[in-house]
Amino acid sequence: MCRNIRQLFNFEPPATEDEIRNAALQFVRKVSGSTKPSQRNEDAFDRAVGAISASVRELIESMETTQPPKNREEEAAKARARTLIRFA
């Protein structure tokens, strides 16, 4: 259920709003135990996703590092290589 929660800090280009929202959505789904809320809970669900997205954006923007930014394509290639080894 948490497959979209990935490291979002220190990438070039920086994490997009869509990536942050997807991670927040997965987090709320995990915590609530529901992939799709009922109509009664939909507003609370959406507010939680919005609040977590804003918090994550604030966190990412306020963090500092001395490490050079990671390249998304290189990191994706490394992940694919690990998957091939794991499931070969």
Side-chain angles (χ1 to χ4, degrees):
M1 190 182 283
C2 292
R3 66 188 170 275
N4 287 336
I5 298 179
R6 305 201 191 289
Q7 180 179 343
L8 299 175
F9 175 64
N10 199 28
F11 277 98
E12 191 57 46
T16 64
E17 290 300 321
D18 193 43
E19 290 172 315
I20 291 172
R21 187 183 183 293
N22 286 338
L25 178 61
Q26 287 298 325
F27 178 78
V28 171
R29 285 176 174 171
K30 184 70 167 187
V31 170
S32 70
S34 173
T35 57
K36 181 162 176 30
S38 65
Q39 287 181 339
R40 175 180 247 172
N41 294 324
E42 194 168 2
D43 286 340
F45 195 90
D46 291 340
R47 280 193 312 273
V49 171
I52 292 168
S53 295
S55 295
V56 169
R57 169 57 65 200
E58 181 182 340
L59 172 67
I60 290 172
E61 289 175 353
S62 65
M63 291 177 67
E64 299 176 8
T65 184
T66 58
Q67 298 295 314
K70 297 176 185 173
N71 180 291
R72 291 182 183 281
E73 289 77 28
E74 290 174 11
E75 295 300 316
K78 289 177 191 176
R80 284 190 296 273
R82 286 191 303 270
T83 299
L84 285 175
I85 293 169
R86 181 175 178 197
F87 296 109

